[in-house]
Each structure stands twice: as structure tokens, then as C-alpha cells.
Amino acid sequence: MNNALKKYEFWFVVGSQDLYGPEVLRTVDQHSQIMVEGFNNDPSIPCTVVFKPVVRNSNEIYATLTAANADPACAGVITWMHTFSPSKMWIRGFNALQKPLLHINTQFNRDIPWDKIDMDFMNLNQSAHGDREHGFITARMRLQHKVISGYWESETLRTRMGKWMRAAVGAYESRQLRVLRISDNMRDVAVTEGDKVEAHIKFGWQVDHYGVEDIIRMVEAVTEEEIDAKMAEYATVYEMDTDNIQAVRYQAREEVALEKFMEKEGFGAFHTNFQDLQQLRQLPGLAAQNLMRKGYGFAGEGDWKTAALCRIMKLMTQDCEKGTGFMEDYTYNFDPENGMNMGAHMLEVCPSLAAETPKIKVVPLGIGDREDPARVTFKAQSGPAVLATIVDMGDRFRMIVNDVEGQVQEHDMPNLPVAGVLWKPLPSLETSAEAWIYAGGAHHSVISFAIDEEVLRDFAEIMDIEYIHIGNETNINELRKELTWNDLVWKLKK
Ligand code: MN
């Protein structure tokens, strides 16, 4: 873990009213400062929590929440009612709030002090009903928000707060994401298509196309010195397992051009399309992989939605050591004792998923009709992970997430020239596949070993898109009913 998420700030706004007098309000502020300090010293809270003075009336609430909107470092607002804060006072502020909202229902004091408790104690420690008043107004206003209840020092509450923060970081980054399309979608493929204007409105993604010729001009302009520097970078993270250095240098050339262009234009994600390479000599393989390793989102075949999701999930987990990257369901192991799915892609599997030092290989690629592309291969990580995809249902976006268990790769697969990731999907290979297929989930997805489904569920709720979860609880008949009902719900929501 590093501190990469500390730059995202969450305002801790505690509500009250003037009824209690200045002494109680001073105590509320003191408690809230102690809690903020506790949150900031706990590694399960990945972002920074910012103390805000207690808000006592409609004007203070409005001023605080609109200031949160205007602060570019603020990624979300956390509210808590230490005392009772009549919630009509919150309507004006909540009507204006544009940042993600988390309501924690907690209490400064963990246990009831049986022998000392009096009415002063009761009036100070009354979130049990103050937070219910707050809950009514968030429900009544149909606010998109998350509620987490628990003692503020408990590991469970803090871990869940941390997950919600990751989701809010995803939303924050989503709303300023620019996606580079190199060419269009692969011909005839349906699932990689979608409404880019709707994606801009819902997710904030600016999805811009450049012709392959534009990229080729930049690739040709790369100097030998720039290629040398990129080769030196490869040497620090990969092992060379080929004599065809010229092929590797060509990938370095492609990467230098793409990296410079994306940095200059503020792109966070990109896609390629093997059907439209024009005079590019290789499909970007190693180039795409190394850019993903450095945090760029990527997907193949014109899949701008998965490229964007890849970027967002990488930014949600930028402080984590475990990997996140573009994935494609490829081949099943239908052994009834050992049902597994093997994910891969024709080249572009993210090195952040590696369990060992990746090796650079140059092997022919039957698809794309160009020179043999360099790529890195490796055995992948194992452990709990999620697979996520976003599809366009025509009237809404749907996110589908499957809990999986990443498997240790026991076989060497000497004839397979790409990295593969093995997983057992929950609840079983067959049920998860049926659920994913009924839900219309894409063959492209993003795998992450660094988060669980609650983060993605929170993200989908913040972005106001449909969310379908496939995990241990999934029952196919219930899931099919959920899909049918959701169709009606989302038509009414429009
Ligand atoms: Mn693909």
C-alpha cells in the first residue's frame, strides 16, 4: 500500500442545532475532531478525512455543502448526526449537493455508562434518533447515498467507509476521464458498441476518436534515443526472452508515441482495433501492456467502455499492490472436479496481474495480418477477485460483477504465447456463466484482485446505473426475475 489515495478529501460534516447551547456544540466539535484524527491514522481508510465545524442551521448546511461542490480536492461528503439535527434544515443544502454522500450512523461513546448516565449524556449521544431523522430526509428526497452503521472505531465500519471512498474516487475520476479511440469498433461486434453521449452524461467520459494515420505519424516521429530509454525501462521490470530485439524496439516506439500523445492531450484510457492497423507494423502488445502497468486504461477491438472502466478501477486501487487489468473470458476447464475459466487476450494482459517477472516474447499473431508482435507473458496472481463489465442496454448502462477465486497456475502451457489468468467463478462455473450470459455481460471485462464487489456496487449507485451482482448467493431463477423487474424499474426511472 502507498499513499496515492490520500490526495482525495472527504468532508466530515456533523449536524446539530442551536437548541443545545454552545457548550454541547463545542463538545460535538471536539468529538468530531477526535474521530477525524482516528480515521486519518487508520490504514483501512485510504483517503483523507477533513474536519468541518458543526453545522447548526439551513444556511450553514447550504454553505458547507456548496463549498464541498466547489472544492476540486473534495471527492465526497460524510454526514453524521451526533445530536438531533432537524432535517428540514438539510433540504436546501441537499438540493444543491453534487458530491457523493455517505451517511454514517455511529456514536462517539461505545457503551452506555450504566452508573453515570443522565439526561445530559442522552442529549449529547443521541445519533440513534438524530441519524433516523437524517435518514428520513435522504430517503424522502430520493438522494443517492450510502448508509453505514457501526461504532466509529470498529474495523468493520472503517473498512466499509474505505470501500465507499474508493467508489467515490472512481466517480471523481470518471467525471474527468478522456478516452482515446484509435479507429472504431471491430466490425459486426455488438457488445463493444454504445451511446457515447449518454456515457458522457452518466459517467463524464469524453470519448474521442483519432484515425490510425494520426498515430502512425507520431510513431514514425519517435527517435532512437527515446526508444533506447523505453528499452531501459523495460529492462527494469521485464526479462528479455527473445533474440528479435528489433520487434521489441518497435513496440517501444509505439509506446513512446502513445504515451506522449495521451499525456499531452489528457487521455486516461485508450483502445486499439486489430482490424484497422494501416501501416502500423505490429498490433500494440507490449506497448499496451506497459501503458496499462503504468495506470492507463485499455481494451481491445474498439471497446471504449471497458477501456474507461479499466482506468477507473485502476485509479480506485492505485494504492494497492494487487493487480487490476483488462480481461477477456477465453477458455473453460469443464472438469466437474475443477471447473475454471481461463481469461486472456490476444496479447494485452496487464503486467500488474503477474505473480512473477514477466518475460518479453516475440511470437507470430494469426490475427491482424502484421509482423510478429512483442508481448510479455507471465503466470498470474491468485486469490479473491472481481470481474466487472459495463454494457449498454439501449435505455441504460448495466454493470455486471462476478466474484471469482483466482487460481494458482499449476501448468506451464509452453505453447501459449500470452498471459492467462485462471479463476473459479462463484457460485460455480456453470451458474455464473448462465447468470453473466442472461445479464448480457460482455466477453471483455476488468479483473481486480484489489477490491471486492461492494466497491463496484457503490460506484454503480453513485453513477446511477443498473448493478447486477453474481456471487455465492446467486440463484438463476431469482436473477432472471431481477433482470425482468429491473427492465420495468429503469423504464420508470427514465
Ligand atoms: Mn477482445
Side-chain angles (χ1 to χ4, degrees):
M1 297 287 251
N2 59 48
N3 284 332
L5 288 191
K6 288 287 180 196
K7 63 177 182 269
Y8 303 94
E9 295 181 356
F10 289 83
W11 288 19
F12 191 58
V13 180
V14 179
S16 190
Q17 59 181 323
D18 272 324
L19 182 78
Y20 302 105
E23 200 182 323
V24 167
L25 293 176
R26 258 197 307 278
T27 309
V28 168
D29 264 347
Q30 280 163 8
H31 288 174
S32 142
Q33 270 167 315
I34 292 167
M35 289 165 74
V36 165
E37 205 180 305
F39 293 144
N40 284 330
N41 289 330
D42 190 325
S44 54
I45 306 272
C47 304
T48 301
V49 183
V50 178
F51 165 79
K52 290 290 156 184
V54 62
V55 287
R56 299 166 302 171
N57 53 55
S58 177
N59 284 342
E60 286 180 2
I61 292 166
Y62 179 79
T64 303
L65 297 186
T66 51
N69 288 343
D71 182 346
C74 176
V77 170
I78 302 168
T79 55
W80 170 54
M81 305 303 119
H82 192 334
T83 57
F84 194 83
S85 179
S87 67
K88 281 186 191 172
M89 298 188 326
W90 287 80
I91 292 174
R92 182 167 167 237
F94 274 157
N95 267 332
L97 182 65
Q98 293 162 339
K99 299 277 164 112
L101 174 66
L102 169 66
H103 172 200
I104 60 167
N105 167 231
T106 189
Q107 187 166 280
F108 185 71
N109 211 68
R110 196 189 75 172
D111 302 337
I112 295 175
W114 305 107
D115 51 343
K116 293 199 198 77
I117 187 163
D118 57 11
M119 274 323 287
D120 286 346
F121 180 91
M122 294 273 272
N123 282 331
L124 181 63
N125 295 280
Q126 54 174 312
S127 49
H129 81 275
D131 277 332
R132 278 171 168 74
E133 168 73 0
H134 198 62
F136 170 71
I137 205 63
T138 49
R140 173 66 179 80
M141 292 177 75
R142 274 74 170 172
L143 283 188
Q144 190 293 312
H145 69 299
K146 169 109 176 170
V147 181
I148 303 177
S149 179
Y151 182 54
W152 70 279
E153 288 193 288
S154 90
E155 191 57 33
T156 314
L157 173 120
R158 290 182 174 188
T159 303
R160 294 185 69 207
M161 278 177 68
K163 288 183 195 181
W164 175 83
M165 285 174 171
R166 289 185 191 281
V169 165
Y172 178 97
E173 293 292 347
S174 181
R175 288 177 176 139
Q176 47 196 302
L177 176 58
R178 194 171 180 214
V179 182
L180 167 62
R181 310 199 69 200
I182 304 174
S183 184
D184 202 333
N185 299 78
M186 180 178 168
R187 286 184 282 280
D188 294 324
V189 175
V191 77
T192 56
E193 290 282 359
D195 182 338
K196 296 193 283 294
V197 174
E198 185 67 12
H200 201 152
I201 294 167
K202 273 285 175 194
F203 295 108
W205 305 342
Q206 186 183 330
V207 184
D208 286 328
H209 162 267
Y210 278 80
V212 183
E213 194 59 37
D214 296 316
I215 305 300
I216 290 169
R217 269 197 298 277
M218 293 181 258
V219 168
E220 283 171 355
V222 172
T223 66
E224 291 300 315
E225 291 71 37
E226 287 173 312
I227 296 173
D228 290 342
K230 185 58 73 183
M231 293 293 285
E233 181 187 322
Y234 292 161
T236 64
V237 271
Y238 308 127
E239 190 181 307
M240 194 66 76
D241 192 19
T242 177
D243 296 329
N244 189 350
I245 302 301
Q246 284 313 311
V248 182
R249 288 182 70 84
Y250 188 74
Q251 288 284 334
R253 174 182 285 279
E254 290 182 322
E255 185 186 336
V256 169
L258 286 169
E259 191 173 29
K260 274 202 291 192
F261 183 54
M262 290 198 288
E263 204 170 303
K264 175 168 159 271
E265 293 292 326
F267 287 110
F270 71 110
H271 71 67
T272 53
N273 180 352
F274 69 85
Q275 279 178 333
D276 187 10
L277 294 174
Q278 306 299 333
Q279 306 309 311
L280 275 181
R281 284 163 43 201
Q282 295 177 26
L283 174 66
L286 173 58
Q289 290 177 298
N290 200 49
L291 286 165
M292 261 192 283
R293 181 184 66 81
K294 290 197 276 192
Y296 285 100
F298 172 83
E301 293 96 56
D303 188 350
W304 51 270
K305 296 194 299 299
T306 305
L309 180 61
C310 181
R311 168 68 170 177
I312 290 163
M313 287 171 65
K314 278 178 172 291
L315 289 172
M316 286 172 173
T317 58
Q318 57 189 291
D319 58 333
C320 304
E321 271 147 35
K322 293 214 123 193
T324 297
F326 170 52
M327 196 40 53
E328 177 167 290
D329 294 77
Y330 234 107
T331 301
Y332 290 137
N333 190 55
F334 259 137
D335 174 355
E337 304 295 308
N338 195 21
M340 282 189 289
N341 200 333
M342 192 171 86
H345 206 256
M346 59 181 83
L347 300 172
E348 316 90 334
V349 183
C350 181
S352 76
L353 302 168
E356 59 183 12
T357 303
K359 291 189 177 74
I360 301 179
K361 289 182 194 290
V362 178
V363 186
L365 177 68
I367 296 167
D369 192 27
R370 290 295 182 279
E371 293 176 13
D372 303 349
R375 79 291 304 271
V376 285
T377 72
F378 50 82
K379 285 186 175 178
Q381 287 159 18
S382 55
V386 284
L387 282 173
T389 191
I390 293 174
V391 294
D392 185 339
M393 295 302 290
D395 53 4
R396 66 189 184 275
F397 290 105
R398 167 183 286 168
M399 176 181 264
I400 302 147
V401 175
N402 191 183
D403 300 337
V404 304
E405 196 61 47
Q407 302 296 299
V408 175
Q409 203 171 303
E410 285 167 357
H411 303 279
D412 277 336
M413 302 187 282
N415 296 315
L416 188 72
V418 292
V421 183
L422 285 169
W423 64 80
K424 287 182 193 280
L426 300 177
S428 68
L429 176 58
E430 292 82 358
T431 302
S432 82
E434 287 171 20
W436 189 277
I437 289 167
Y438 273 125
H443 52 277
H444 283 171
S445 60
V446 181
I447 191 167
S448 178
F449 289 90
I451 45 172
D452 68 16
E453 73 94 18
E454 190 172 4
V455 176
L456 295 166
R457 178 187 297 271
D458 290 347
F459 173 76
E461 285 184 10
I462 293 169
M463 304 323 283
D464 190 31
I465 61 164
E466 185 188 0
Y467 182 78
I468 299 292
H469 175 230
I470 304 164
N472 253 336
E473 315 292 306
T474 296
N475 168 294
I476 282 295
N477 292 334
E478 293 305 314
L479 181 109
R480 294 189 68 187
K481 282 191 260 181
E482 183 183 354
L483 294 171
T484 306
W485 294 333
N486 280 8
D487 253 337
L488 289 170
V489 168
W490 284 87
K491 280 184 175 68
L492 292 172
K493 277 183 90 161
K494 283 294 266 191

PDB file of all heavy atoms in Angstrom, residues 186 192 274 299-301 303 326-328 330 344-346 348 443-444, ligand 1:
ATOM      1  N   MET A 186     -14.520  -2.994 -33.625  1.00  0.00           N
ATOM      2  CA  MET A 186     -14.391  -4.159 -34.510  1.00  0.00           C
ATOM      3  C   MET A 186     -15.706  -4.358 -35.256  1.00  0.00           C
ATOM      4  O   MET A 186     -16.789  -4.268 -34.669  1.00  0.00           O
ATOM      5  CB  MET A 186     -14.078  -5.399 -33.675  1.00  0.00           C
ATOM      6  CG  MET A 186     -13.914  -6.653 -34.483  1.00  0.00           C
ATOM      7  SD  MET A 186     -13.501  -8.024 -33.382  1.00  0.00           S
ATOM      8  CE  MET A 186     -13.742  -9.389 -34.507  1.00  0.00           C
ATOM      9  N   THR A 192     -19.425  -4.201 -27.790  1.00  0.00           N
ATOM     10  CA  THR A 192     -18.471  -3.105 -27.573  1.00  0.00           C
ATOM     11  C   THR A 192     -19.043  -1.761 -28.030  1.00  0.00           C
ATOM     12  O   THR A 192     -18.400  -0.727 -27.846  1.00  0.00           O
ATOM     13  CB  THR A 192     -17.138  -3.371 -28.316  1.00  0.00           C
ATOM     14  OG1 THR A 192     -17.428  -3.575 -29.698  1.00  0.00           O
ATOM     15  CG2 THR A 192     -16.434  -4.594 -27.759  1.00  0.00           C
ATOM     16  N   PHE A 274      -7.468  -4.312 -33.998  1.00  0.00           N
ATOM     17  CA  PHE A 274      -6.549  -5.074 -34.857  1.00  0.00           C
ATOM     18  C   PHE A 274      -6.996  -5.069 -36.320  1.00  0.00           C
ATOM     19  O   PHE A 274      -6.197  -5.352 -37.201  1.00  0.00           O
ATOM     20  CB  PHE A 274      -6.408  -6.513 -34.338  1.00  0.00           C
ATOM     21  CG  PHE A 274      -7.648  -7.338 -34.514  1.00  0.00           C
ATOM     22  CD1 PHE A 274      -7.915  -8.001 -35.704  1.00  0.00           C
ATOM     23  CD2 PHE A 274      -8.575  -7.440 -33.470  1.00  0.00           C
ATOM     24  CE1 PHE A 274      -9.074  -8.753 -35.869  1.00  0.00           C
ATOM     25  CE2 PHE A 274      -9.729  -8.181 -33.630  1.00  0.00           C
ATOM     26  CZ  PHE A 274      -9.995  -8.835 -34.825  1.00  0.00           C
ATOM     27  N   ALA A 299      -8.516  -1.372 -23.612  1.00  0.00           N
ATOM     28  CA  ALA A 299      -9.270  -2.545 -24.058  1.00  0.00           C
ATOM     29  C   ALA A 299      -9.039  -2.698 -25.553  1.00  0.00           C
ATOM     30  O   ALA A 299      -8.665  -1.740 -26.240  1.00  0.00           O
ATOM     31  CB  ALA A 299     -10.754  -2.402 -23.751  1.00  0.00           C
ATOM     32  N   GLY A 300      -9.249  -3.885 -26.061  1.00  0.00           N
ATOM     33  CA  GLY A 300      -9.048  -4.172 -27.480  1.00  0.00           C
ATOM     34  C   GLY A 300     -10.313  -3.931 -28.293  1.00  0.00           C
ATOM     35  O   GLY A 300     -11.395  -3.669 -27.756  1.00  0.00           O
ATOM     36  N   GLU A 301     -10.160  -3.993 -29.615  1.00  0.00           N
ATOM     37  CA  GLU A 301     -11.287  -4.061 -30.565  1.00  0.00           C
ATOM     38  C   GLU A 301     -12.278  -2.893 -30.456  1.00  0.00           C
ATOM     39  O   GLU A 301     -13.481  -3.072 -30.610  1.00  0.00           O
ATOM     40  CB  GLU A 301     -12.043  -5.401 -30.398  1.00  0.00           C
ATOM     41  CG  GLU A 301     -11.239  -6.602 -30.815  1.00  0.00           C
ATOM     42  CD  GLU A 301     -10.534  -7.269 -29.644  1.00  0.00           C
ATOM     43  OE1 GLU A 301     -11.198  -7.647 -28.675  1.00  0.00           O
ATOM     44  OE2 GLU A 301      -9.302  -7.380 -29.707  1.00  0.00           O
ATOM     45  N   ASP A 303     -13.198  -1.227 -27.843  1.00  0.00           N
ATOM     46  CA  ASP A 303     -14.071  -1.291 -26.666  1.00  0.00           C
ATOM     47  C   ASP A 303     -13.759  -0.138 -25.696  1.00  0.00           C
ATOM     48  O   ASP A 303     -13.052  -0.305 -24.698  1.00  0.00           O
ATOM     49  CB  ASP A 303     -13.905  -2.649 -25.984  1.00  0.00           C
ATOM     50  CG  ASP A 303     -14.925  -2.870 -24.875  1.00  0.00           C
ATOM     51  OD1 ASP A 303     -15.637  -1.910 -24.505  1.00  0.00           O
ATOM     52  OD2 ASP A 303     -14.993  -4.004 -24.380  1.00  0.00           O
ATOM     53  N   PHE A 326      -7.393  -5.246 -17.893  1.00  0.00           N
ATOM     54  CA  PHE A 326      -8.303  -5.681 -18.963  1.00  0.00           C
ATOM     55  C   PHE A 326      -8.294  -7.212 -19.077  1.00  0.00           C
ATOM     56  O   PHE A 326      -7.236  -7.832 -18.982  1.00  0.00           O
ATOM     57  CB  PHE A 326      -7.814  -5.044 -20.271  1.00  0.00           C
ATOM     58  CG  PHE A 326      -8.467  -5.541 -21.517  1.00  0.00           C
ATOM     59  CD1 PHE A 326      -9.845  -5.573 -21.650  1.00  0.00           C
ATOM     60  CD2 PHE A 326      -7.685  -5.953 -22.605  1.00  0.00           C
ATOM     61  CE1 PHE A 326     -10.443  -6.021 -22.820  1.00  0.00           C
ATOM     62  CE2 PHE A 326      -8.273  -6.391 -23.781  1.00  0.00           C
ATOM     63  CZ  PHE A 326      -9.651  -6.427 -23.890  1.00  0.00           C
ATOM     64  N   MET A 327      -9.452  -7.806 -19.266  1.00  0.00           N
ATOM     65  CA  MET A 327      -9.554  -9.267 -19.299  1.00  0.00           C
ATOM     66  C   MET A 327     -10.602  -9.690 -20.321  1.00  0.00           C
ATOM     67  O   MET A 327     -11.499  -8.918 -20.654  1.00  0.00           O
ATOM     68  CB  MET A 327      -9.942  -9.748 -17.887  1.00  0.00           C
ATOM     69  CG  MET A 327      -9.758 -11.194 -17.533  1.00  0.00           C
ATOM     70  SD  MET A 327      -8.281 -12.027 -18.129  1.00  0.00           S
ATOM     71  CE  MET A 327      -6.932 -11.005 -17.583  1.00  0.00           C
ATOM     72  N   GLU A 328     -10.452 -10.912 -20.808  1.00  0.00           N
ATOM     73  CA  GLU A 328     -11.452 -11.477 -21.718  1.00  0.00           C
ATOM     74  C   GLU A 328     -11.655 -12.940 -21.350  1.00  0.00           C
ATOM     75  O   GLU A 328     -10.686 -13.700 -21.253  1.00  0.00           O
ATOM     76  CB  GLU A 328     -10.965 -11.356 -23.174  1.00  0.00           C
ATOM     77  CG  GLU A 328     -11.905 -11.982 -24.173  1.00  0.00           C
ATOM     78  CD  GLU A 328     -11.555 -11.581 -25.605  1.00  0.00           C
ATOM     79  OE1 GLU A 328     -11.761 -10.404 -25.957  1.00  0.00           O
ATOM     80  OE2 GLU A 328     -11.050 -12.420 -26.351  1.00  0.00           O
ATOM     81  N   TYR A 330     -11.957 -16.513 -22.015  1.00  0.00           N
ATOM     82  CA  TYR A 330     -11.425 -17.172 -23.211  1.00  0.00           C
ATOM     83  C   TYR A 330     -11.831 -18.629 -23.314  1.00  0.00           C
ATOM     84  O   TYR A 330     -12.555 -19.033 -24.212  1.00  0.00           O
ATOM     85  CB  TYR A 330      -9.900 -17.026 -23.235  1.00  0.00           C
ATOM     86  CG  TYR A 330      -9.386 -16.429 -24.522  1.00  0.00           C
ATOM     87  CD1 TYR A 330      -8.896 -15.136 -24.588  1.00  0.00           C
ATOM     88  CD2 TYR A 330      -9.412 -17.183 -25.695  1.00  0.00           C
ATOM     89  CE1 TYR A 330      -8.444 -14.590 -25.779  1.00  0.00           C
ATOM     90  CE2 TYR A 330      -8.962 -16.642 -26.892  1.00  0.00           C
ATOM     91  CZ  TYR A 330      -8.486 -15.349 -26.922  1.00  0.00           C
ATOM     92  OH  TYR A 330      -8.043 -14.810 -28.095  1.00  0.00           O
ATOM     93  N   ALA A 344      -7.743 -14.252 -20.863  1.00  0.00           N
ATOM     94  CA  ALA A 344      -6.509 -13.810 -21.510  1.00  0.00           C
ATOM     95  C   ALA A 344      -6.907 -12.732 -22.525  1.00  0.00           C
ATOM     96  O   ALA A 344      -8.012 -12.194 -22.456  1.00  0.00           O
ATOM     97  CB  ALA A 344      -5.806 -14.970 -22.206  1.00  0.00           C
ATOM     98  N   HIS A 345      -6.006 -12.417 -23.437  1.00  0.00           N
ATOM     99  CA  HIS A 345      -6.375 -11.667 -24.634  1.00  0.00           C
ATOM    100  C   HIS A 345      -5.358 -12.025 -25.675  1.00  0.00           C
ATOM    101  O   HIS A 345      -4.438 -12.801 -25.402  1.00  0.00           O
ATOM    102  CB  HIS A 345      -6.445 -10.154 -24.387  1.00  0.00           C
ATOM    103  CG  HIS A 345      -7.371  -9.483 -25.350  1.00  0.00           C
ATOM    104  ND1 HIS A 345      -6.938  -8.743 -26.416  1.00  0.00           N
ATOM    105  CD2 HIS A 345      -8.723  -9.497 -25.427  1.00  0.00           C
ATOM    106  CE1 HIS A 345      -7.999  -8.310 -27.094  1.00  0.00           C
ATOM    107  NE2 HIS A 345      -9.092  -8.758 -26.518  1.00  0.00           N
ATOM    108  N   MET A 346      -5.511 -11.509 -26.901  1.00  0.00           N
ATOM    109  CA  MET A 346      -4.578 -11.974 -27.930  1.00  0.00           C
ATOM    110  C   MET A 346      -3.145 -11.560 -27.594  1.00  0.00           C
ATOM    111  O   MET A 346      -2.209 -12.264 -27.926  1.00  0.00           O
ATOM    112  CB  MET A 346      -5.012 -11.519 -29.324  1.00  0.00           C
ATOM    113  CG  MET A 346      -5.134 -10.034 -29.513  1.00  0.00           C
ATOM    114  SD  MET A 346      -5.685  -9.630 -31.187  1.00  0.00           S
ATOM    115  CE  MET A 346      -7.463  -9.815 -31.028  1.00  0.00           C
ATOM    116  N   GLU A 348      -2.788  -8.453 -24.905  1.00  0.00           N
ATOM    117  CA  GLU A 348      -2.737  -7.333 -23.953  1.00  0.00           C
ATOM    118  C   GLU A 348      -3.282  -7.689 -22.573  1.00  0.00           C
ATOM    119  O   GLU A 348      -4.366  -7.241 -22.193  1.00  0.00           O
ATOM    120  CB  GLU A 348      -3.510  -6.143 -24.535  1.00  0.00           C
ATOM    121  CG  GLU A 348      -3.244  -5.858 -26.005  1.00  0.00           C
ATOM    122  CD  GLU A 348      -4.218  -6.613 -26.926  1.00  0.00           C
ATOM    123  OE1 GLU A 348      -4.738  -7.676 -26.538  1.00  0.00           O
ATOM    124  OE2 GLU A 348      -4.454  -6.136 -28.051  1.00  0.00           O
ATOM    125  N   HIS A 443     -17.859 -10.245 -23.269  1.00  0.00           N
ATOM    126  CA  HIS A 443     -16.688 -11.131 -23.140  1.00  0.00           C
ATOM    127  C   HIS A 443     -15.495 -10.328 -22.624  1.00  0.00           C
ATOM    128  O   HIS A 443     -14.537 -10.891 -22.117  1.00  0.00           O
ATOM    129  CB  HIS A 443     -16.364 -11.801 -24.475  1.00  0.00           C
ATOM    130  CG  HIS A 443     -16.233 -10.849 -25.621  1.00  0.00           C
ATOM    131  ND1 HIS A 443     -17.315 -10.377 -26.314  1.00  0.00           N
ATOM    132  CD2 HIS A 443     -15.161 -10.248 -26.161  1.00  0.00           C
ATOM    133  CE1 HIS A 443     -16.906  -9.542 -27.248  1.00  0.00           C
ATOM    134  NE2 HIS A 443     -15.608  -9.434 -27.181  1.00  0.00           N
ATOM    135  N   HIS A 444     -15.536  -9.014 -22.787  1.00  0.00           N
ATOM    136  CA  HIS A 444     -14.491  -8.149 -22.211  1.00  0.00           C
ATOM    137  C   HIS A 444     -14.897  -7.729 -20.807  1.00  0.00           C
ATOM    138  O   HIS A 444     -16.073  -7.442 -20.554  1.00  0.00           O
ATOM    139  CB  HIS A 444     -14.323  -6.878 -23.048  1.00  0.00           C
ATOM    140  CG  HIS A 444     -13.548  -7.084 -24.308  1.00  0.00           C
ATOM    141  ND1 HIS A 444     -13.444  -6.108 -25.276  1.00  0.00           N
ATOM    142  CD2 HIS A 444     -12.837  -8.148 -24.766  1.00  0.00           C
ATOM    143  CE1 HIS A 444     -12.704  -6.551 -26.272  1.00  0.00           C
ATOM    144  NE2 HIS A 444     -12.327  -7.790 -25.997  1.00  0.00           N
TER     145      HIS A 444
HETATM  146 MN    MN B   1     -11.105  -8.970 -27.241  1.00  0.00          MN
END
